[in-house]
Amino acid sequence: MRSIVSFYLCYLLCLGLGLACVVCVCVWNSRWRGGFAWDGSTLQFNWHPVLMVTGLVVLYGNGAVLYRIPLTWGQNKLPWKLLHATLMLLALVLSVVGLCAVFDFHNAQSTPNLYSLHSWIGIAATALFAVQWVLGLAGFLLPCSPGSLRVLLKPVHVWMGGSILWLSIAACISGINEKLFFVLKGSATQAYAGLPPEALLANALGVLVVAFGLVVLKILSNPEWQRPESRPEDLVYTPLLQEENE
């Protein structure tokens, strides 16, 4: 009982930090960066941090911890599988749209693409995420996937999940820092070193992203909060409407 209470306290903290991340990145880009558009201007670029933080970090992290919720234990796993896959797909779509926003902006402004460490890490995280989602679909949801494939894929799926989250956090932190250096370098009164309000908010966003990631990884790494293992006979696929407690 104590472990379950501890989980829900940690899970509420996860939800609160995720919401705070989304609010901070939206306020930053609406109040200090001028808002949003899709016209090749800097207002289009503002979609990039909002969509990447929301999709690649917050939605991804919440999708990753879904199976750890004790409420899901002892129930038909299929609805939670579908919810997990849907959350991850939504996170992936938002991430891809976020990448489209920045590529389109760079092309409109004749700015080179993929030249910074931030962009390399972000592309790597998104590409691995896409591979992870396809492998998860093929290995855990398709009726034709054999049980042996699921057993083989599960540790890889878990390891890749944590690795993608770390890469996403690294991409966000480096991106926030890079953006602040770009937008505050030409102002004598608003220099980054002077920590103007915009810099304080963006730095706080970075801290929230790291805190969110640490809480998610804490939930994922605690063995007491792992969903009980499936029985060997449950690893054999059964029709969707008959699947029970896999």
Side-chain angles (χ1 to χ4, degrees), residues 28-29 32-33 45 49 118 172-187 190-207:
W28 177 24
N29 286 279
W32 276 282
R33 296 293 101 217
F45 177 90
H118 159 68
C172 283
I173 297 305
S174 59
I176 291 168
N177 204 234
E178 184 178 287
K179 179 66 174 178
L180 287 174
F181 278 121
F182 279 148
V183 300
L184 298 180
K185 66 179 180 180
S187 173
Q190 296 290 315
Y192 191 6
L195 279 182
E198 179 180 0
L200 286 172
L201 179 67
N203 284 352
L205 170 61
V207 171

Side-chain angles (χ1 to χ4, degrees), residues 63-85:
V65 302
L66 186 64
Y67 288 140
R68 298 299 195 270
I69 303 175
L71 182 65
T72 69
W73 301 352
Q75 298 185 30
N76 187 338
K77 194 176 180 181
L78 177 61
W80 301 103
K81 275 188 176 184
L82 295 175
L83 180 58
H84 173 74

Side-chain angles (χ1 to χ4, degrees), residues 151-232:
V151 173
L152 180 65
L153 279 180
K154 184 176 179 181
V156 178
H157 194 72
V158 171
W159 175 80
M160 281 187 66
S163 301
I164 292 166
L165 182 61
W166 275 117
L167 286 173
S168 301
I169 292 170
C172 283
I173 297 305
S174 59
I176 291 168
N177 204 234
E178 184 178 287
K179 179 66 174 178
L180 287 174
F181 278 121
F182 279 148
V183 300
L184 298 180
K185 66 179 180 180
S187 173
T189 59
Q190 296 290 315
Y192 191 6
L195 279 182
E198 179 180 0
L200 286 172
L201 179 67
N203 284 352
L205 170 61
V207 171
L208 287 171
V209 167
V210 171
F212 174 81
L214 290 175
V215 172
V216 169
L217 291 170
K218 167 63 178 175
I219 293 174
L220 294 177
S221 64
N222 191 330
E224 295 183 358
W225 297 341
Q226 291 182 4
R227 183 185 178 93
E229 287 292 337
S230 302
R231 297 167 300 183

Side-chain angles (χ1 to χ4, degrees), residues 106-139:
H106 280 174
N107 293 336
Q109 303 294 323
S110 299
T111 302
N113 290 304
L114 299 176
Y115 64 88
S116 67
L117 180 60
H118 159 68
S119 61
W120 290 8
I121 296 173
I123 284 291
T126 308
L128 285 175
F129 187 9
V131 172
Q132 169 88 327
W133 194 88
V134 171
L135 288 178
L137 175 67

